[in-house]
């Protein structure tokens, strides 16, 4: 398995990426994003309230993401010892930076010889497929997508680029997953809906003939189940975020 290289950025680079203003040393190199109490000498943290800025100034963090208004509210000599990235939305900018500095889990760029792939599977470049993954016929998977251990993909599924499927995810037949989708462990996508016709002889299953479409930039929490439609598709719209245990 390939080892992920350490990720680091100069403050100047982070400011350009996040459209933030630098106060302090633009040449500092940062390699992790942490909460105030967990920060170290190469960390960036954030303070979106005055009381948090007071704590951040006393922390070991090298860089603090905050706002002009909050910095003006606090009169402290400690501000001269820190480097700041100033923005109108410190929490959002911190999230951007944390995303840049955090390697994607399970990303290896390799296909395990302990996975099982049908002959008709189509893979783009830089796919990571871990042990225990099973992929059925006529599946298409886009570039940079990661399938963690134990993922099962049914037939005729299409998965886009830059997706991450955590361990134990099951994607049933004919599901369509667009780009930049994250699915947490244990989720089941595309299983049959609960459809029955009832008469005096009991309950009779109605075939579930639809599928599931998950649009781009969706995140689905652990152990979520999303059923296929009875006739048309079940659609999760672009940018939706689903918490754990939703059915």
């Amino acid at each position: 398995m390939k080892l992920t290289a350490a990720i680091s950025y100069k403050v100047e680079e982070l400011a350009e990426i996040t459209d933030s203003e630098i106060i302090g040393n633009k040449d500092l190199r940062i390699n992790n994003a942490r909460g105030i109490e967990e920060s170290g000498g190469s960390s960036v943290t954030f303070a979106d309230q005055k009381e948090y800025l007071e704590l951040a100034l006393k922390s070991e963090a090298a860089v603090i993401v905050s706002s002009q208004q909050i910095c003006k509210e606090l009169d402290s000599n400690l501000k001269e010892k820190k480097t700041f990235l100033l923005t109108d939305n410190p929490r959002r900018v911190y999230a951007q930076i944390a995303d840049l500095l955090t390697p994607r889990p399970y990303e290896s760029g390799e296909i395990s010889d302990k996975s099982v792939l049908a002959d008709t599977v189509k893979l783009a470049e830089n796919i990571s497929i871990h042990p225990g993954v099973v992929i059925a016929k006529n599946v298409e998977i886009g570039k940079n997508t990661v399938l963690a251990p134990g993922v099962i993909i049914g037939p005729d599924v299409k998965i886009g680029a830059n997706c991450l499927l955590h361990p134990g995810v099951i994607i049933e037949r004919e599901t369509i997953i667009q780009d930049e989708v994250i699915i947490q462990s244990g989720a089941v996508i595309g299983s049959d809906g609960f459809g029955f016709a009832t008469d005096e002889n009991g309950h009779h299953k109605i075939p579930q003939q639809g599928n599931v479409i998950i649009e781009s930039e969706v995140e689905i929490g652990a152990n979520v189940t999303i059923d296929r439609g009875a006739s048309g598709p079940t659609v999760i719209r672009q940018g939706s975020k689903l918490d754990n245990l939703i059915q």
Side-chain angles (χ1 to χ4, degrees):
M1 179 179 293
K2 297 177 182 177
L3 295 177
T4 302
I7 301 171
S8 68
Y9 288 85
K10 285 186 176 181
V11 171
E12 184 177 33
E13 295 172 317
L14 294 175
E16 182 176 353
I17 292 168
T18 61
D19 194 25
S20 301
E21 177 187 355
I22 303 171
I23 304 294
N25 185 354
K26 65 182 177 62
D27 293 320
L28 276 177
R29 188 164 285 277
I30 299 301
N31 62 26
N32 65 85
R34 296 287 186 269
I36 292 171
E37 294 182 357
E38 296 79 27
S39 294
S42 57
S43 300
V44 58
T45 192
F46 80 102
D48 57 359
Q49 297 181 38
K50 179 181 175 181
E51 52 267 35
Y52 293 147
L53 181 56
E54 292 179 16
L55 294 173
L57 288 171
K58 297 174 183 177
S59 75
E60 296 183 16
V63 178
I64 301 171
V65 179
S66 193
S67 70
Q68 284 277 12
Q69 181 179 350
I70 294 170
C71 284
K72 287 178 180 178
E73 290 176 359
L74 184 63
D75 183 17
S76 172
N77 293 331
L78 292 174
K79 289 193 288 187
E80 299 175 2
K81 299 181 180 180
K82 298 290 186 183
T83 293
F84 289 86
L85 286 171
L86 300 180
T87 173
D88 291 336
N89 192 339
R91 182 179 289 270
R92 174 68 184 104
V93 167
Y94 174 80
Q96 284 182 270
I97 294 172
D99 186 54
L100 289 170
L101 293 172
T102 304
R104 284 208 305 170
Y106 306 106
E107 189 167 38
S108 66
E110 297 180 349
I111 299 174
S112 171
D113 59 5
K114 295 181 180 178
S115 59
V116 179
L117 282 64
D119 293 339
T120 53
V121 171
K122 295 180 180 179
L123 303 177
E125 65 269 22
N126 196 38
I127 303 290
S128 302
I129 298 179
H130 284 263
V133 170
V134 178
I135 306 178
K137 65 180 182 179
N138 301 328
V139 170
E140 298 179 13
I141 301 177
K143 65 181 181 179
N144 302 322
T145 284
V146 176
L147 306 182
V151 169
I152 298 176
I153 310 293
D156 303 306
V157 168
K158 291 181 173 58
I159 300 175
N162 302 306
C163 294
L164 171 58
L165 277 59
H166 283 263
V169 168
I170 297 175
I171 309 296
E172 290 281 9
R173 67 190 190 280
E174 299 170 348
T175 296
I176 297 172
I177 298 173
Q178 296 181 2
D179 300 334
E180 307 281 351
V181 171
I182 298 173
I183 305 179
Q184 300 290 342
S185 297
V188 179
I189 312 299
S191 53
D192 279 357
F194 193 74
F196 296 88
T198 302
D199 62 16
E200 64 276 9
N201 295 316
H203 306 294
H204 308 278
K205 185 175 179 64
I206 299 172
Q208 305 294 288
Q209 299 175 347
N211 69 337
V212 174
I213 299 173
I214 299 175
E215 296 184 349
S216 296
E217 300 175 357
V218 168
E219 181 160 355
I220 296 170
N223 295 318
V224 168
T225 60
I226 301 174
D227 293 343
R228 65 180 53 250
S231 55
T234 300
V235 181
I236 307 299
R237 294 298 184 191
Q238 181 172 352
S240 298
K241 312 298 179 186
L242 280 63
D243 200 357
N244 302 332
L245 297 172
I246 294 174
Q247 180 177 349

